[in-house]
């Protein structure tokens, strides 16, 4: 797939993995106060009652310079909660860290409150 990009008035549309590109754009374009991105939500899903948005989360963590070494998740995260869930269900394909889980707790709270 060929990557496609459009940028105008501090808005970016990129088809394909764009997090590193937007990170660079955020630091390269002078006077960028707000950077709008249209992000894929077709991969979103519910995991143990939490709304998971992998592409949004990866962008947030990349722009905040907290992205994990594999390009997803949060750097230096631990997996205590996931390990406890696995000890009961033994069927976890999705790897979510303890710090990452905080994002989903706060997202659920915001969605529940209509934000």
């Amino acid at each position: 797939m060929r990557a496609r990009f459009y940028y105008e008035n501090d808005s970016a549309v990129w088809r394909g993995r764009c997090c590193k590109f937007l990170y660079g754009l955020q630091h390269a374009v002078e006077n960028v106060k707000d950077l709008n991105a249209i992000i894929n939500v077709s991969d979103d899903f519910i995991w143990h009652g939490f709304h998971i948005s992998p592409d949004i989360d990866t962008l947030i963590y990349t722009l905040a310079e907290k992205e994990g070494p594999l390009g997803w998740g949060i750097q230096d995260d631990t997996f205590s909660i996931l390990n406890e869930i696995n000890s009961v269900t033994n069927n976890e394909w999705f790897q979510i860290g303890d710090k990452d889980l905080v994002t989903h707790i706060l997202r659920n709270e915001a969605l529940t409150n209509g934000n």
Side-chain angles (χ1 to χ4, degrees):
M1 173 172 55
R2 200 177 94 197
R4 297 180 190 146
F5 171 72
Y6 171 77
Y7 176 76
E8 182 178 312
N9 299 325
D10 297 332
S11 294
V13 177
W14 182 275
R15 188 170 180 203
R17 294 203 41 97
C18 68
C19 298
K20 292 290 187 181
F21 176 79
L22 290 176
Y23 175 83
L25 184 64
Q26 177 187 33
H27 290 88
V29 175
E30 210 171 304
N31 299 321
V32 171
K33 293 183 179 140
D34 293 311
L35 182 62
N36 303 308
I38 299 167
I39 304 171
N40 173 35
V41 293
S42 67
D43 294 330
D44 289 14
F45 61 97
I46 303 298
W47 179 80
H48 294 288
F50 291 103
H51 185 104
I52 308 294
S53 299
D55 293 342
I56 292 173
D57 299 337
T58 300
L59 180 60
I60 290 169
Y61 302 149
T62 300
L63 295 180
E65 299 180 351
K66 293 184 175 194
E67 155 188 38
L70 298 175
W72 51 267
I74 297 177
Q75 57 188 277
D76 302 319
D77 210 346
T78 56
F79 295 88
S80 298
I81 295 171
L82 181 68
N83 291 338
E84 285 300 315
I85 292 172
N86 283 341
S87 73
V88 175
T89 65
N90 199 26
N91 190 24
E92 288 304 322
W93 61 271
F94 184 64
Q95 300 294 301
I96 188 167
D98 301 329
K99 294 177 186 178
D100 199 1
L101 189 57
V102 172
T103 300
H104 307 300
I105 291 169
L106 296 176
R107 175 180 293 128
N108 268 35
E109 184 178 295
L111 290 172
T112 299
N113 293 329
N115 297 321

